[in-house]
Amino acid sequence: MRTALTDLVGCRYPIVQTGMGYVAGARLVTATSKAGGLGIIAAATLTTDEMTTAIREVRDRTDAPFGVNIRADADDASDRVTIMIREGVPVASFALAPRPELIARLKDAGVVTIPSVGARRHAEKVAAWGADAVIVQGGEGGGHTGPIPTTVLLPQVVDAVDIPVIAAGGFSDGRGLVAALAYGAAGIAMGTRFLLTSDSPVPDEVKKEYQAATDTVVTTRVDGVPHRVLRTPFIDKLERGRLLRALLNAARLRDLSGLSWAAMLREGRRMRHGRDLTWAQVLQAANTPMMLRSAMVDGRADLGVLAAGQVVATLGDLPSCAELIDRIMAEATAVLARLGQENAAT
């Protein structure tokens, strides 16, 4: 299936696997890209050395296009861009709008730049700065999310910018892909659906938590901004305001990482910038990566944050990335054929 996205990045199908921290490593990215989608390494939770290693591992395993996602507000964002350029990464992905100078550096090096946004004005801004495409996530999506549903936000952005728009938030099958294309998108991006594959490195016990889930909640108690996650006893504690208890749990995990309280406070101060957070929330926000790691790496759902889109309640199986993408494309083809037949009949 050829779209503006496949033409831009060279993948076979207009399906993107998003950069999920502690989930989207070399293993999942390789499987996605080999299957014809665009896999994206989640480098925000990696050191620069680990990021370089992950890039090289994907390069060694496939010659298909892939991307790397970093935090645009990270202190070392410029250094990470240098690594991407040096390592010949085809696509740069950003969770926030990257500075214009970062976009310019990447474009000069021939790296396709795709920021993620949750509002039309943000899409207009990065398009004006030279972004090559944009991922638009509606409120149904997991992790950090906004209040506007994909079906409302997506057409707004498609009408507002002249670059390819990739739809995220609420997608898991071929029907969703066709719907996104009908809205004018060039493809879809999925996180939760790729997390629940056999190629995902998430521990089996945590995958079972996802498969059994029937509800998500949007909370600001994790790091001060809206965050869609599975409703768990840990999240309920945060929602009831028991920040101290949750902070102590996170602090124990921080001790395991070897980072000092000073380093944690520096991270918290940076995350506090521009947000109306108490210092208790700042400390909690600084520990967010460790809470993610406790679930996605250590299998401790009782101490971790399980980011999830609303679509999680419809996902019960664990296909491989190849099986998933083949199924999505077969469904999309069938839907398009049916629509064509119906149009011909009228």
Side-chain angles (χ1 to χ4, degrees):
M1 181 179 288
R2 184 175 179 180
T3 71
L5 171 62
T6 61
D7 287 347
L8 178 65
V9 303
C11 56
R12 193 157 65 248
Y13 304 124
I15 298 173
V16 177
Q17 162 253 301
T18 59
M20 299 165 282
Y22 298 113
V23 178
R27 171 179 158 185
L28 181 61
V29 171
T30 300
T32 301
S33 291
K34 275 187 172 182
L38 179 69
I40 297 179
I41 297 171
T45 52
L46 302 177
T47 65
T48 53
D49 287 343
E50 289 170 338
M51 170 181 159
T52 302
T53 298
I55 292 169
R56 292 176 179 176
E57 286 181 4
V58 175
R59 277 282 191 214
D60 288 343
R61 297 173 185 177
T62 180
D63 57 2
F66 68 98
V68 173
N69 176 268
I70 66 171
R71 275 172 37 183
D73 61 341
D75 292 338
D76 61 355
S78 181
D79 294 336
R80 289 175 182 264
V81 165
T82 297
I83 292 171
M84 282 192 274
I85 293 172
R86 183 192 71 208
E87 297 296 325
V89 173
V91 177
S93 165
F94 292 90
L96 298 171
R99 299 188 304 275
E101 56 268 29
L102 291 183
I103 295 177
R105 283 182 59 199
L106 289 162
K107 287 180 70 70
D108 287 345
V111 181
V112 174
T113 305
I114 308 179
S116 294
V117 300
R120 181 180 63 184
R121 67 183 185 279
H122 298 154
E124 292 172 332
K125 178 171 66 175
V126 297
W129 288 350
D132 297 293
V134 65
I135 294 176
V136 176
Q137 179 175 307
E140 300 93 326
H144 294 123
T145 193
I148 306 176
T150 303
T151 52
V152 176
L153 179 61
L154 177 58
Q156 290 181 11
V157 175
V158 168
D159 290 344
V161 300
D162 294 325
I163 57 177
V165 175
I166 303 157
F171 297 100
S172 66
D173 58 20
R175 294 173 298 177
L177 173 57
V178 173
L181 296 176
Y183 273 112
I188 57 173
M190 304 184 297
T192 308
R193 177 66 276 191
F194 276 107
L195 185 152
L196 287 174
T197 61
S198 60
D199 295 304
S200 162
V202 172
D204 289 342
E205 56 268 33
V206 175
K207 287 181 180 178
K208 290 177 182 177
E209 293 280 342
Y210 276 93
Q211 290 179 289
T214 58
D215 192 18
T216 63
V217 60
V218 176
T219 178
T220 60
R221 296 286 189 172
V222 174
D223 56 8
V225 293
H227 205 122
R228 186 177 293 284
V229 298
L230 291 189
R231 184 182 293 278
T232 64
F234 180 74
I235 293 299
D236 285 341
K237 290 177 184 178
L238 294 185
E239 284 293 285
R240 289 195 297 268
R242 298 180 183 177
L243 285 172
L244 179 58
R245 181 182 301 176
L247 175 61
L248 291 173
N249 287 336
R252 285 198 292 270
L253 293 168
R254 176 63 73 178
D255 290 340
L256 294 176
S257 74
L259 294 178
S260 67
W261 279 98
M264 186 177 72
L265 288 171
R266 285 195 299 272
E267 172 71 1
R269 190 178 298 113
R270 187 194 61 74
M271 297 182 75
R272 188 173 189 254
H273 179 68
R275 302 177 188 173
D276 184 21
L277 304 183
T278 67
W279 274 105
Q281 288 174 312
V282 165
L283 293 174
Q284 184 79 352
N287 275 284
T288 299
M290 288 305 297
M291 289 189 287
L292 288 171
R293 188 184 190 283
S294 68
M296 302 307 173
V297 178
D298 301 331
R300 293 296 304 273
D302 58 324
L303 294 178
V305 173
L306 305 179
Q310 287 183 309
V311 75
V312 68
T314 70
L315 308 179
D317 61 348
L318 294 172
S320 68
C321 288
E323 291 168 342
L324 173 62
I325 291 176
D326 285 347
R327 184 169 73 195
I328 290 173
M329 295 312 303
E331 289 172 348
T333 300
V335 170
L336 289 170
R338 176 174 56 81
L339 292 173
Q341 291 170 355
E342 292 175 355
N343 288 335
T346 58

